[in-house]
Amino acid sequence: MIFTICLFYFCSSLKRNNISTFTAILSNPIEYLKGVGPQKGELLRKEIKVHTFGDLLNYFPFRYVDRTRIDKIASLSGYEDFVQIRGKIIRMTVMGENRSKRLVATFKDETGTIDLVWFQGWQWMEKSLRENVAYLVFGRISIFNGVAQLAHPEMDLLTEEIATGKQFLEPVYYTTEKLKARGLTAKAIGKLTKNLLEQLAPQEIRENIPVEVLQQYRLMPRSMAYFRIHLPGSEEDARQAQRRLKFEELFIAQIRICRLKLKRHKLSHGYVFGAVGQSFNEFYNHHLPFSLTGAQKRVLKEIRTDTIHGRQMNRLLQGDVGSGKTMVALLSMLLAKDNGFQACLMAPTEILSQQHFKGIAGLLEKMEVKVALLTGSIKGKARRQILEGALDGSIDILVGTHALLEKEVQFKNLGMAIVDEQHRFGVAQRARLWEKNAIPPHILVMTATPIPRTLAMTIYGDLDVSVIDEMPPGRKPITTVHRNEYQRPQVMDFIKEEVKKGRQAYIVYPLIEDSEKLDYENLMKGYEEVKAFFPEPQYYISMVHGRQPADQRQTNMQRFVAGDTHIMVATTVIEVGVNVPNASVMVIESTERFGLSQLHQLRGRVGRGAEQSFCILMTGNKLSQDSKERINVMVQTNDGFLISEKDMELRGPGDIEGTRQSGILDFKLADIIADKPILDAARASAEKILSEDTDLLLPENQALKEFLAAQRSKSAWSKIS
């Protein structure tokens, strides 16, 4: 009842005032705040990106110190963390010589005494402190020579206001060395925030979540949350304020994403693929090399449903390496042909494009479907013929690299565009492909990097997401083992045994941008070691790395693909795109330097044939706890989705490939892993509101609509599809 009355008071007062989301005061430059000034203002901008009063209001504390309680000296054991005591200094003594000089003050309350000690700045403290004057003392307790003491405590003259302790938990803010040097310590930032809050009335921070949602989840009003997150009266106050503001961050993000998705479904125009015709049926019934899995059938049904409603399909297809995404793509392109349209498939590298082309052309060789390949290396007459075939419609399926994006590549009637390894292409690049027809073609973007559900919902929420979570029958799980430097000879002997069976092996070295020169040296050293274990002419080795000219790299890769070399020594350039069914061993050097998702991608380069394959994780002898955990996960499971969830837990969502640059994960409080229940609730609320009021025209949604309009510039990240 009290909550509802409080909520009504806040919301009705906001309605009466009808002021903007953040009033003019919060747009003031930070230097105009009392206690800041031009020099400190410039530092706050550079160091912690606080430009305005509003930025400071949104600069939240990361923890709190409880100064609402007064401890008794007699009750202190010496093992407490922070303590707060009230009493008087009864004497002060300077002890020690030269650099070991220190000020020791004996502090007394009604139950006993304790020493306060200053090693630095003691001369100033000696002048400023007074004996027999009441102080409130706060600090971290320590034991010296078996006696408890407080070193460099905070000293406040005891006033009536703080006689029983402070009235709120003391917030602690992140600061930097440069800020501290100018007096902007965590405590000083807290004082500035308190100054700002004293200037603000609750009505000056307008609500942006509909009242019905606030009541459903028992969320405190927005203005109350801002006051209580900075100056909470209790831990529960702080927790509820954080909960409210986390919900707001996630709710606003979900509203933006869901609106984009709904508008696309409602307003976008797409070609109708009304028929499942001769090409699709002939291939499915007579040329399909294996039975589709249940997951592949489900995804095809989703694509089929998308393409019959006259709206543009915009679908993300996730599937582990080897799960059969390319077969789904091929059947989707045949669906386009049966309805009188062309299709294209764009891949990030020339070798991957060639593999797609060879695979698709091989599967369709007995059918009347014309497939062509366009890459940067195709020149002259051959290129002109391909461009003419795309323009006159005689080419049904065009496979290629970034070359497909060039202006000279024009289609007669492009109805289906598929992008493989979509995170390798920028938004602007992909957009050029969509412009290849008057009405944008249907879009299918594919990734072999499994994305955790919570992350997909947050980043790709405006796309329809399909998942192939089932491997084709007959695939043997890759056996993964961990070996250290002492076991290298046995690992090399094992590779020799596999080569004797006619198999091939990868040996991959890390390539990290920050240490590229050192990594290159390690690669060359590793190459020499491998040559010593595998001498010519009994063994032939390819080496591939980013410093090689593109044509040399291409040649070396092609020699391995063709089976002319037994071993490929490479950096992570082979992570995407090399399909060698005969390769059965993947050795990953310095495994501790890779993230889980990248390790899983590298492992996926083997296990593509019918034979048993192996992944050997090589590390040094000393490993951090994180590294051990990553290696254990790799050894225990081949499930890419489990691995991606664990990767996000260990590294955080901002480090998952492609998410850092999107900007979506710049939440100040919310954590999409720890706060998944809040994310689910925010998503459900957003979907419900928009299903009833897509354009936010109802009176109860006006505040939300105005807030989104003010924040519109921040929504660019969500147009990543």
Side-chain angles (χ1 to χ4, degrees):
M1 182 68 183
I2 293 170
F3 175 84
T4 308
I5 293 168
C6 183
L7 191 60
F8 176 79
Y9 162 75
F10 269 92
C11 294
S12 58
S13 66
L14 296 177
K15 196 171 180 180
R16 283 196 306 273
N17 283 276
N18 194 26
I19 51 182
S20 61
T21 307
F22 281 119
T23 54
I25 190 172
L26 290 178
S27 61
N28 285 346
I30 192 63
E31 57 265 32
Y32 295 157
L33 185 64
K34 184 183 175 185
V36 180
Q39 290 180 329
K40 286 182 179 178
E42 191 59 29
L43 262 183
L44 287 167
R45 283 190 177 88
K46 285 181 180 175
E47 292 294 299
I48 55 174
K49 295 182 172 56
V50 168
H51 299 264
T52 64
F53 288 14
D55 292 334
L56 183 62
L57 192 66
N58 282 284
Y59 192 70
F60 300 120
F62 68 94
R63 66 181 175 90
Y64 302 91
V65 174
D66 188 357
R67 294 195 61 178
T68 62
R69 192 186 73 252
I70 305 286
D71 299 295
K72 301 296 182 188
I73 292 174
S75 68
L76 301 179
S77 65
Y79 296 102
E80 294 86 356
D81 191 3
F82 287 94
V83 298
Q84 183 166 250
I85 51 179
R86 180 182 58 199
K88 297 178 180 180
I89 295 173
I90 55 173
R91 63 177 169 274
M92 290 189 286
T93 312
V94 177
M95 303 177 73
E97 295 294 329
N98 301 322
R99 289 188 178 182
S100 63
K101 273 190 176 180
R102 60 195 181 276
L103 174 66
V104 179
T106 303
F107 191 80
K108 183 178 187 298
D109 72 0
E110 64 271 27
T111 68
T113 61
I114 191 171
D115 283 345
L116 314 180
V117 187
W118 288 268
F119 300 94
Q120 297 167 347
W122 62 265
Q123 297 99 326
W124 186 83
M125 292 305 298
E126 186 183 24
K127 288 176 187 173
S128 59
L129 294 174
R130 289 175 285 165
E131 293 181 3
N132 297 314
V133 171
Y135 286 98
L136 188 67
V137 178
F138 177 80
R140 190 186 292 270
I141 202 163
S142 60
I143 304 291
F144 180 70
N145 287 339
V147 178
Q149 63 177 27
L150 288 171
H152 292 274
E154 292 180 23
M155 308 288 292
D156 289 310
L157 280 170
L158 197 66
T159 62
E160 192 175 323
E161 186 186 357
I162 60 171
T164 56
K166 302 224 172 164
Q167 300 304 303
F168 53 85
L169 300 186
E170 192 162 282
V172 182
Y173 298 85
Y174 281 113
T175 186
T176 68
E177 291 306 316
K178 285 185 180 177
L179 288 174
K180 286 178 189 173
R182 294 305 303 267
L184 287 166
T185 60
K187 190 169 185 179
I189 292 172
K191 281 186 178 177
L192 292 179
T193 308
K194 191 166 181 285
N195 287 348
L196 174 59
L197 290 169
E198 285 169 355
Q199 294 181 43
L200 293 175
Q203 297 92 329
E204 291 183 291
I205 303 168
R206 191 177 177 189
E207 188 54 75
N208 57 7
I209 296 178
V211 173
E212 187 181 337
V213 177
L214 293 177
Q215 290 175 335
Q216 181 182 355
Y217 294 108
R218 299 186 64 78
L219 298 169
M220 65 173 62
R222 188 165 188 248
S223 51
M224 187 189 293
Y226 272 105
F227 278 79
R228 289 194 177 175
I229 199 166
H230 289 292
L231 299 173
S234 65
E235 287 183 9
E236 179 62 15
D237 270 359
R239 193 180 71 78
Q240 290 297 341
Q242 287 173 346
R243 178 172 167 266
R244 151 67 212 226
L245 293 170
K246 284 178 179 182
F247 185 95
E248 177 181 315
E249 284 187 314
L250 295 167
F251 174 74
I252 295 299
Q254 292 304 316
I255 283 282
R256 289 199 201 121
I257 290 168
C258 292
R259 278 185 98 189
L260 278 171
K261 187 172 179 177
L262 285 167
K263 282 188 175 180
R264 178 167 55 76
H265 282 183
K266 186 177 177 181
L267 302 174
S268 72
H269 297 290
Y271 295 111
V272 176
F273 291 0
V276 178
Q278 183 184 347
S279 299
F280 187 100
N281 288 323
E282 183 186 341
F283 180 78
Y284 192 89
N285 294 323
H286 303 296
H287 305 296
L288 196 64
F290 50 78
S291 298
L292 296 183
T293 63
Q296 286 173 306
K297 289 177 181 175
R298 183 185 70 243
V299 172
L300 276 169
K301 189 176 179 183
E302 289 167 350
I303 291 168
R304 174 85 183 103
T305 303
D306 283 351
T307 56
I308 61 174
H309 292 302
R311 294 190 296 266
Q312 184 202 23
M313 177 178 79
N314 212 354
R315 186 166 287 279
L316 171 70
L317 175 57
Q318 293 188 69
D320 233 329
V321 174
S323 61
K325 296 185 300 299
T326 307
M327 189 56 68
V328 169
L330 173 53
L331 286 161
S332 301
M333 291 190 287
L334 291 176
L335 188 64
K337 176 176 166 46
D338 283 340
N339 287 276
F341 295 95
Q342 296 163 286
C344 70
L345 191 160
M346 187 168 72
T349 65
E350 191 150 322
I351 195 163
L352 185 53
S353 296
Q354 287 172 345
Q355 285 175 184
H356 277 313
F357 171 69
K358 285 175 186 171
I360 290 167
L363 288 166
L364 299 176
E365 63 182 347
K366 294 178 182 176
M367 293 176 56
E368 291 184 11
V369 179
K370 187 170 181 185
V371 186
L373 173 69
L374 181 66
T375 67
S377 62
I378 295 173
K379 308 285 186 188
K381 185 180 178 183
R383 187 179 188 84
R384 282 198 305 275
Q385 287 176 340
I386 292 166
L387 295 177
E388 287 167 9
L391 188 58
D392 66 24
S394 60
I395 291 175
D396 300 301
I397 295 173
L398 184 57
V399 179
T401 57
H402 300 75
L404 296 181
L405 302 172
E406 293 171 13
K407 282 188 178 178
E408 61 178 354
V409 181
Q410 298 294 326
F411 293 87
K412 182 181 181 183
N413 203 7
L414 182 65
M416 173 72 71
I418 297 173
V419 181
D420 195 18
E421 293 304 332
Q422 59 85 27
H423 63 273
R424 301 279 167 142
F425 296 97
V427 178
Q429 286 178 311
R430 296 199 298 270
R432 293 214 298 276
L433 195 56
W434 313 162
E435 294 162 5
K436 297 285 183 181
N437 215 345
I439 294 177
H442 293 298
I443 308 303
L444 182 67
V445 290
M446 305 194 298
T447 179
T449 305
I451 302 161
R453 181 181 168 272
T454 48
L455 197 58
M457 188 165 71
T458 309
I459 298 174
Y460 296 109
D462 64 319
L463 292 176
D464 300 300
V465 180
S466 290
V467 176
I468 300 180
D469 50 8
E470 200 178 334
M471 297 299 276
R475 283 282 173 97
K476 293 179 181 175
I478 300 163
T479 300
T480 305
V481 295
H482 172 217
R483 298 289 182 261
N484 60 34
E485 200 56 44
Y486 296 134
Q487 297 161 305
R488 184 172 295 279
Q490 294 95 305
V491 170
M492 296 302 162
D493 288 342
F494 176 74
I495 294 174
K496 286 177 181 175
E497 290 299 315
E498 288 293 297
V499 171
K500 274 183 194 172
K501 296 177 189 174
R503 317 267 189 269
Q504 292 164 276
Y506 299 97
I507 301 176
V508 178
Y509 288 80
L511 184 60
I512 314 297
E513 285 175 23
D514 295 345
S515 59
E516 196 171 326
K517 185 173 182 290
L518 183 62
D519 284 334
Y520 178 70
E521 289 168 4
N522 288 341
L523 172 72
M524 300 312 293
K525 183 183 168 191
Y527 177 61
E528 294 302 324
E529 281 181 6
V530 173
K531 276 169 61 177
F533 277 107
F534 299 94
E536 290 183 355
Q538 192 177 354
Y539 304 97
Y540 290 101
I541 304 167
S542 288
M543 181 166 67
V544 174
H545 58 81
R547 289 192 175 189
Q548 289 170 327
D551 55 345
Q552 184 188 348
R553 188 163 67 240
Q554 192 75 17
T555 301
N556 288 352
M557 274 192 180
Q558 208 56 55
R559 287 175 65 213
F560 186 72
V561 171
D564 296 335
T565 56
H566 303 102
I567 297 164
M568 180 187 279
V569 176
T571 59
T572 49
V573 291
I574 60 96
E575 181 187 339
V576 170
V578 184
N579 181 22
V580 186
N582 192 47
S584 63
V585 182
M586 167 63 72
V587 177
I588 305 175
E589 297 283 354
S590 303
T591 300
E592 62 270 31
R593 294 178 63 189
F594 292 91
L596 263 175
S597 288
Q598 196 175 27
L599 288 173
H600 182 62
Q601 285 290 300
L602 289 168
R603 175 168 62 183
R605 294 299 106 210
V606 295
R608 303 173 82 84
E611 305 302 327
Q612 179 63 56
S613 291
F614 304 88
C615 179
I616 302 168
L617 308 174
M618 297 293 295
T619 69
N621 299 314
K622 292 182 179 178
L623 293 175
S624 68
Q625 194 55 45
D626 262 9
S627 297
K628 286 178 185 172
E629 204 167 338
R630 282 200 301 275
I631 288 163
N632 286 339
V633 171
M634 286 295 294
V635 169
Q636 288 164 11
T637 183
N638 280 283
D639 186 325
F641 288 94
L642 278 177
I643 286 168
S644 69
E645 292 280 358
K646 192 65 183 175
D647 196 25
M648 193 165 74
E649 278 179 39
L650 291 172
R651 293 198 292 157
D655 285 330
I656 302 298
E657 189 156 23
T659 61
R660 185 187 298 282
Q661 53 270 47
S662 73
I664 170 58
L665 297 176
D666 295 339
F667 294 133
K668 293 181 184 298
L669 288 171
D671 178 323
I672 64 171
I673 304 165
D675 299 320
K676 186 177 176 298
I678 301 177
L679 172 60
D680 289 339
R683 176 78 174 186
S685 296
E687 287 177 341
K688 182 175 184 292
I689 287 169
L690 293 173
S691 68
E692 297 167 358
D693 184 17
T694 309
D695 297 317
L696 301 177
L697 299 175
L698 294 174
E700 58 267 32
N701 295 327
Q702 283 306 293
L704 173 59
K705 185 176 183 178
E706 287 168 20
F707 180 83
L708 289 170
Q711 301 287 310
R712 188 171 291 135
S713 61
K714 296 181 183 178
S715 66
W717 52 261
S718 55
K719 296 185 179 178
I720 59 171
S721 56

